[in-house]
Structures are given as structure tokens and as C-alpha cells.
Amino acid sequence: MAELSTAMIRSCHRGLLGRNRSMVAEVFEIEESVDSLKREIEDYLDRIHREALSDKEARLLHALHHVTGDIERVGDQCVNIAQRAIVLLREQQELSEPAIRDLNDLFEKTTQLYMKSVQALRDEDRTLARQALDLEEEVDQLEKEYKNNHLIRLEQGQCSSSAGVRYVEILHNLERMGDHAVNIAGDVLHTI
């Protein structure tokens, strides 16, 4: 499920910045699988008898319930980005070069954060989880910085306001992905 959500992030990234409709469409196709897996995993986890578990296993079960939701929500943020990409493509709205650079950077940081969090969960690696938390602070800062940069470009007439609205929304979607990734890292630190 986490690998599928990672594929969604990458498809969003390439589809949006490469203006590639088929890559954007992949996001919606993969999302159906992520949603289906979430239901199946939750059904499985719900069938586990908690009273037969050790304390550590019970904490892990609880964490896996949370993680499953966070992974699915990362996919939801990808869908939001894909929807915004469709509007940009359909209305032939162009993002400025600085906006594209900023989005590319934030996509890369967010993907790295998400992958670190998932790997921390897989390996039960608290050090990786802490690294993910540090990276999330950087993602939050970059979102603010890039929004401010956008406002300056708007004031200087370097950006269109219609494409700019989508740009700011996508920055926010990426920051939200980072929040869900940090929830995963937090579960590693606090429950595993």
C-alpha cells in the first residue's frame, strides 16, 4: 500500500511538472487500489484478537491502524494534486519557471520524507523516524517560503493569478503529505 502511494506521488510529480495527462491519470487508477487495500488491511487488523497479543504487539496493531489511514490520506493528497494538474492542463495555464523549480524541490523533499517514514516503519528504525521529523520541519519551512516567493512574483507581474491559486493549493497538498508522513514516523517513535 505504501509503495502504491509512493507511485502516486511520483506520477503526480511527473504528470504535473511534465504536463503529462497520462501520468496524471495514473494517480486516479492507483488510488482505487490504495483504497481497496486500506479496506482489506483494516478488515484483517480488526480480526486480530487483542487479548492474545503482548503489549508490544498491541501497540504495533494500534500503530498499523493509524498508519494505514495516513498512507491512504497521502494518496488522497495525490488525487487533489492530480485534480489541480488537470485544471492547469485543461485551461492551458502555465506555471512560472521559479514556481516549477519550487514545486520540484518540495515534491522531492516530501517524497524523501514519506519514504523515510515508511522505511522507519518497515525496519522499526527510530533513527530514521527522527530524520523524517527533521525533514518535515524543512518541508513546512519551504511551503511558507515558496508561498511568500509566489506573492512577490505576483506583485511583480511574473505569475498569473489563476495558475497561482493552483500552485499555492499544490504546495499545501505537499505539506499535508508531509504531515501524514510525520504521523507514520511518530507512530514508530511512540509505539514501536
Side-chain angles (χ1 to χ4, degrees), residues 118-176:
V118 169
Q119 193 63 47
L121 176 69
R122 279 190 184 122
D123 297 345
E124 297 184 19
D125 186 328
R126 297 170 67 81
T127 301
L128 265 179
R130 281 193 229 30
Q131 290 172 5
L133 293 177
D134 293 340
L135 196 51
E136 196 262 345
E137 289 179 27
E138 187 177 352
V139 167
D140 286 349
Q141 281 304 115
L142 287 174
E143 181 204 16
K144 290 174 189 164
E145 178 184 328
Y146 294 160
K147 280 181 181 177
N148 287 334
N149 292 348
H150 169 68
L151 291 174
I152 292 167
R153 288 192 303 270
L154 252 167
E155 289 171 4
Q156 295 173 347
Q158 297 172 349
C159 291
S160 79
S161 59
S162 55
V165 168
R166 305 288 174 274
Y167 168 78
V168 170
E169 291 170 339
I170 293 167
L171 289 175
H172 182 68
N173 293 133
L174 289 167
E175 188 274 332
R176 292 291 300 138

Side-chain angles (χ1 to χ4, degrees), residues 1-5 8 29-45 64-65 67-69 71-72:
M1 186 178 170
E3 289 171 12
L4 288 173
S5 289
M8 290 176 75
E29 293 168 18
I30 298 170
E31 193 230 358
E32 291 177 25
S33 297
V34 170
D35 288 348
S36 176
L37 280 170
K38 178 183 185 273
R39 286 188 297 275
E40 289 177 30
I41 291 168
E42 286 179 339
D43 287 347
Y44 176 79
L45 294 174
L64 290 175
H65 266 288
V67 166
T68 303
I71 291 171
E72 190 269 338

Side-chain angles (χ1 to χ4, degrees), residues 19 23 42 46 60 84 89 118 130 141:
R19 302 187 63 81
M23 295 294 294
E42 286 179 339
D46 288 342
L60 179 59
R84 286 160 176 70
L89 291 168
V118 169
R130 281 193 229 30
Q141 281 304 115

Side-chain angles (χ1 to χ4, degrees), residues 33 42 50 57 80 96 102 111 114 120 172:
S33 297
E42 286 179 339
R50 295 177 196 276
E57 291 168 335
N80 291 342
S96 68
D102 291 351
T111 304
Y114 179 67
H172 182 68

Side-chain angles (χ1 to χ4, degrees), residues 1 8 11 14 17 24 46-47 59 61 66 83 85 88 93-95 104 119 122 142 149-150 158-159 171 188 190:
M1 186 178 170
M8 290 176 75
S11 292
R14 287 188 227 127
L17 299 182
V24 172
D46 288 342
R47 289 194 307 266
R59 285 192 311 272
L61 179 64
H66 285 177
Q83 290 168 334
L88 287 167
Q93 297 175 350
E94 299 285 334
L95 296 170
N104 188 54
Q119 193 63 47
R122 279 190 184 122
L142 287 174
N149 292 348
H150 169 68
Q158 297 172 349
C159 291
L171 289 175
V188 171
H190 302 297

Side-chain angles (χ1 to χ4, degrees), residues 90-104:
R90 184 181 59 231
E91 296 179 7
Q92 298 180 351
Q93 297 175 350
E94 299 285 334
L95 296 170
S96 68
E97 284 302 315
I100 290 169
R101 277 194 307 274
D102 291 351
L103 280 174
N104 188 54

